[in-house]
Amino acid sequence: MRCAWAHIVYHRASRLLMVLTHAPRVFLFALLLYDLTSFRGDYLAQVIGVHNPSIPAALDVLMGLIVTAAFVLPFTAIGLEAVSPCCCRRSFAAGRRSAWCKPG
């Protein structure tokens, strides 16, 4: 009987916790959408004060590359981490030395 009771409480509590954590997020997201749409598309122009700084084109391209690298870096790290055991296993399998680890 205790197991069934604990099972019910655990599942009810997990659903209640899920509702309590996701409801404020949904509410704040709705407020954010309302705030963004209330300016009729001019929100960013009002935030920056319609100031367009003049920067060289090379710096603009460099900034774009840095932002792109920041977004791509986690996916690259995950991919390299997934591939590295395969390479290590192939290189050091059964005590054999590969072409990469020749003795000096």
Side-chain angles (χ1 to χ4, degrees):
M1 185 66 182
R2 288 182 186 169
C3 281
W5 179 81
H7 180 74
I8 291 170
V9 169
Y10 174 75
H11 282 286
R12 298 288 182 208
S14 66
R15 288 186 182 140
L16 179 64
L17 184 64
M18 185 177 65
V19 168
L20 289 177
T21 56
H22 289 298
R25 289 179 182 178
V26 170
F27 178 71
L28 291 174
F29 185 71
L31 286 179
L32 177 70
L33 286 179
Y34 174 75
D35 189 34
L36 284 175
T37 57
S38 63
F39 291 100
R40 295 186 203 132
D42 292 333
Y43 182 72
L44 290 178
Q46 289 183 5
V47 167
I48 63 171
V50 192
H51 176 70
N52 296 324
S54 59
I55 58 173
L59 186 60
D60 193 22
V61 170
L62 181 65
M63 289 172 59
L65 289 174
I66 289 172
V67 170
T68 303
F71 281 118
V72 171
L73 187 63
F75 300 111
T76 306
I78 291 170
L80 289 175
E81 190 174 343
V83 169
S84 65
C86 298
C87 295
C88 291
R89 197 173 331 137
R90 197 176 324 150
S91 299
F92 303 113
R96 292 178 286 151
R97 296 187 183 264
S98 69
W100 291 27
C101 340
K102 289 184 178 179

